[in-house]
Amino acid sequence: MSETPNHRVTRTHRPRRLAIGFAAAVFAVVALAGCWSSDQQTNVDLINRARSGRVQLRGDDLAMKKAQAWAEHMARTGVLEHTGGGTKLSTTGLGRWCAVAENVGVGGSQTIVHNAFLGSGPHKANMIGNYDRVGTGVAYGRGQVWVVQIYLRGTC
C-alpha cells in the first residue's frame, strides 16, 4: 500500500517538473534571441516614442551587435565617428537590407543625445524615416554616454 501514494506523488510531480523545464527552456530562448542590454532597449523605446503614428521599429540582432561594438569603440577612443570611420557608414555585418542609415552621438545622458538627434534635421529624418528595424548601441566612457543607432529597411 505504501507504493501507491509514492507512485502517485511521483506522477503528480512529473508533469509539474516537465512544465517548469519547458517554461525555463522557453525563457532561455526568448532571452537569448534578444541579447541586448537594458540601455539598448531604452534607446529603442526612445526612438519608437519619436515615431508616434508610424510603424514601430523592431530590434535587429546583427545591427544591435554592430551598434554596441561601435559605441564601445567610441567610448574607448573618445572619437565620435560613424562605423566606417569619419562620416561614412560601414554596412559590413548588417545582413540583407534595402536602405540603411546611422546616427552617432555623445552627451551627458541618453535623453540628451536623443533630444539632440530630434533637434537635428538629418538625424531626426533617420529616426522617423521609412525603416522597419533598428540596432542601438550605448556605452559609457570619458564621463559621457556614446550612442549609435543603425536603421534598416528590409524590403524595397
Side-chain angles (χ1 to χ4, degrees), residues 42-110:
T42 296
N43 204 261
V44 172
D45 295 342
L46 287 168
I47 293 164
N48 278 329
R49 275 198 289 275
R51 292 178 62 86
S52 101
R54 293 178 172 77
V55 173
Q56 298 291 283
L57 301 178
R58 70 181 197 286
D60 179 273
D61 286 335
L62 291 174
M64 285 289 200
K65 288 175 187 166
K66 183 178 181 80
Q68 184 61 36
W70 194 253
E72 290 170 7
H73 165 79
M74 292 190 307
R76 246 187 343 271
T77 63
V79 177
L80 180 67
E81 61 184 350
H82 288 273
T83 55
T87 59
K88 186 177 181 187
L89 161 67
S90 166
T91 57
T92 304
L94 290 177
R96 295 183 59 180
W97 48 269
C98 179
V100 63
E102 179 179 59
N103 289 344
V104 295
V106 60
S109 71
Q110 278 199 65

